[in-house]
Amino acid sequence: MGSRSSHAAIIPDVDNIRRETGFSQASLVRLHHRFQALDRNKKGYLSRMDLQQIGALAVNPLGDRIIDSFFPDGSQRLDFPGFVRVLAHFRPVEDEDPGIRDPKAPEPLNSRMNKLRFAFQLYDQDRDGKISRHEMLQVLRLMVGVQVTEEQLESIADRTVQEADEDGDGAVSFLEFTKSLEKMNIEQKMSIRILK
């Protein structure tokens, strides 16, 4: 246990990061080691190229969009706190009494609503708060590649937007997005068990 504490001591602001992300100290130490391994040139930050070296992201059709989520507002450098903040969205939701949480505390990064916000921004590339037919079509192209004809993709995009679009504006708002996914177990589907 002593070595974990000494490793945690080299993580700047570890207590605030732990409170904000919900990660245990042991998980933060593991993630810090991973961060350092990705930072091959020992710069103290990660670039997009560093993240593109992760095999699972390289083969994921949404890999570039996931990498973009680590770099909000066009930034080029990702520090350790930013790295774990994004990963915290994928931390499994723990079965705890919701009455225990301080109502003044910010919503946990791994809450259902924050997981949905994260997923929504993977679609909403122009950041206008809506998923247009064009944005839906782009994601579908990434997901299915050449296995489906363009006509079929357009039909799927049209139907998907039409089914979720309650106000008839031809796009899917965040509220409509959450309603369309209300029966899906987002808490489980957007969780990586090793991130406890």
Side-chain angles (χ1 to χ4, degrees), residues 42-95:
K42 309 297 178 227
K43 306 173 299 285
Y45 63 88
L46 300 178
S47 67
R48 288 174 193 277
M49 269 188 16
D50 294 322
L51 293 180
Q52 288 167 342
Q53 304 308 312
I54 300 172
L57 286 177
V59 298
N60 186 316
L62 295 176
D64 285 339
R65 290 185 182 209
I66 293 168
I67 289 171
D68 287 346
S69 69
F70 282 93
F71 298 93
D73 308 320
S75 62
Q76 299 300 311
R77 296 179 175 198
L78 175 66
D79 61 8
F80 180 69
F83 179 69
V84 294
R85 270 188 214 106
V86 173
L87 291 177
H89 290 91
F90 299 97
R91 193 172 62 80
V93 176
E94 297 175 5
D95 299 327

Side-chain angles (χ1 to χ4, degrees), residues 68-139:
D68 287 346
S69 69
F70 282 93
F71 298 93
D73 308 320
S75 62
Q76 299 300 311
R77 296 179 175 198
L78 175 66
D79 61 8
F80 180 69
F83 179 69
V84 294
R85 270 188 214 106
V86 173
L87 291 177
H89 290 91
F90 299 97
R91 193 172 62 80
V93 176
E94 297 175 5
D95 299 327
E96 57 185 46
D97 181 359
I100 296 173
R101 200 169 78 75
D102 179 357
K104 294 177 190 155
E107 189 172 4
L109 292 172
N110 69 330
S111 70
R112 176 180 181 80
M113 200 53 69
N114 279 327
K115 286 176 184 283
L116 286 167
R117 280 187 192 99
F118 185 89
F120 185 81
Q121 59 93 26
L122 293 177
Y123 289 85
D124 182 21
Q125 288 295 283
D126 63 7
R127 304 284 185 255
D128 68 349
K130 293 194 174 266
I131 301 169
S132 67
R133 175 191 179 275
H134 176 71
E135 289 168 325
M136 181 66 69
L137 196 52
Q138 284 181 311
V139 170

Side-chain angles (χ1 to χ4, degrees), residues 6 29 51 116 119 149:
S6 62
V29 168
L51 293 180
L116 286 167
T149 69

